[in-house]
Amino acid sequence: TPARTPALTEVEVKVVDERGGELPCRITVVDQAGALAPILADTNSGESARPLAIRPGVAYTGDGRAKFDLRPGKYSVFASRGFEYGVERREVVIGPNGVETVSMQLVREVRTPGWVSCDPHTHTFTHTRHGDATIEERMLTIAGENIELPVATDHNVHISYEEIARKLGVRRWFTPIVGNEVTTAVGHFNIFPVEVSAPVVDAKITDWPKLMTAIR
């Protein structure tokens, strides 16, 4: 007899900022043992589907809202958004029926006027099979971690995040920069900014002075 799949309950998490507005963030779910809980979400189709980047126990959302399924039990649900925001935690008991709603608010605790948070080394699986995040998922993790100036540095390509960031509704949260991790047999060099239409540096060059000239 095939093993029966345990019943799942739909959980809806809503995270807002200090004024009650939508806020990209990371949602983390752990069980009573402190282990990341398996979560299931439909992120591709259907009326309830919404852009999410899902991994075991983790969901990145571009607007602070996420729907996913959990097995009944006791969990701790966390909301976070990079280093400048606090962390919210809710202890929840998921029953076998209905929809459970978890509401949280994140407060910005570190003010950074005149500064931006930057990641000058960002990859996607989509373009260079580096890591496991598709370009769509990467947009959500960038917004969810409050990275305001991400630099696209896939290997030996010039990739713009503009179109996909706008499509997913997260472009207003960051300013993407086109870069390139020039990857050669004698070293890797992150360069930025570059024009997306600019010629890609010949990665077969092994003479550093010639390579620097080509990069510049």
Side-chain angles (χ1 to χ4, degrees), residues 200-216:
V200 175
V201 176
D202 183 358
K204 296 180 181 179
I205 299 175
T206 57
D207 180 88
W208 276 29
K210 291 182 180 180
L211 183 60
M212 294 302 105
T213 297
I215 287 173
R216 293 189 177 100

Side-chain angles (χ1 to χ4, degrees), residues 13-28 59-65 77-90 102-111 143-146 173:
V13 180
K14 298 180 180 180
V15 181
V16 297
D17 63 14
E18 295 154 276
R19 298 181 179 180
E22 67 179 43
L23 192 68
C25 64
R26 167 179 167 148
I27 296 166
T28 306
Y60 279 95
T61 165
D63 61 4
R65 300 178 62 187
V77 181
F78 299 85
S80 60
R81 189 168 193 263
F83 297 112
E84 297 164 34
Y85 286 77
V87 177
E88 280 292 291
R89 175 177 178 170
R90 294 286 185 274
V102 181
S103 298
M104 290 183 278
Q105 182 182 63
L106 282 177
V107 176
R108 185 165 190 159
E109 298 183 356
V110 180
R111 305 293 171 178
E145 293 290 351
N146 191 35
W173 297 104

Side-chain angles (χ1 to χ4, degrees), residues 153-182:
T153 54
D154 278 323
H155 300 274
N156 298 325
V157 291
H158 298 162
I159 300 300
S160 172
Y161 291 162
E162 280 285 347
E163 182 177 352
I164 190 64
R166 294 185 186 279
K167 180 181 177 181
L168 293 176
V170 295
R171 172 59 178 83
R172 67 190 179 98
W173 297 104
F174 57 83
T175 301
I177 303 295
V178 178
N180 178 355
E181 183 170 351
V182 180

Side-chain angles (χ1 to χ4, degrees), residues 95-133:
N97 300 305
V99 177
E100 298 288 342
T101 301
V102 181
S103 298
M104 290 183 278
Q105 182 182 63
L106 282 177
V107 176
R108 185 165 190 159
E109 298 183 356
V110 180
R111 305 293 171 178
T112 56
W115 294 81
V116 295
S117 56
C118 177
D119 185 348
H121 192 175
T122 307
H123 287 295
T124 69
F125 181 80
T126 300
H127 291 287
T128 51
R129 298 298 188 263
H130 192 128
D132 67 354

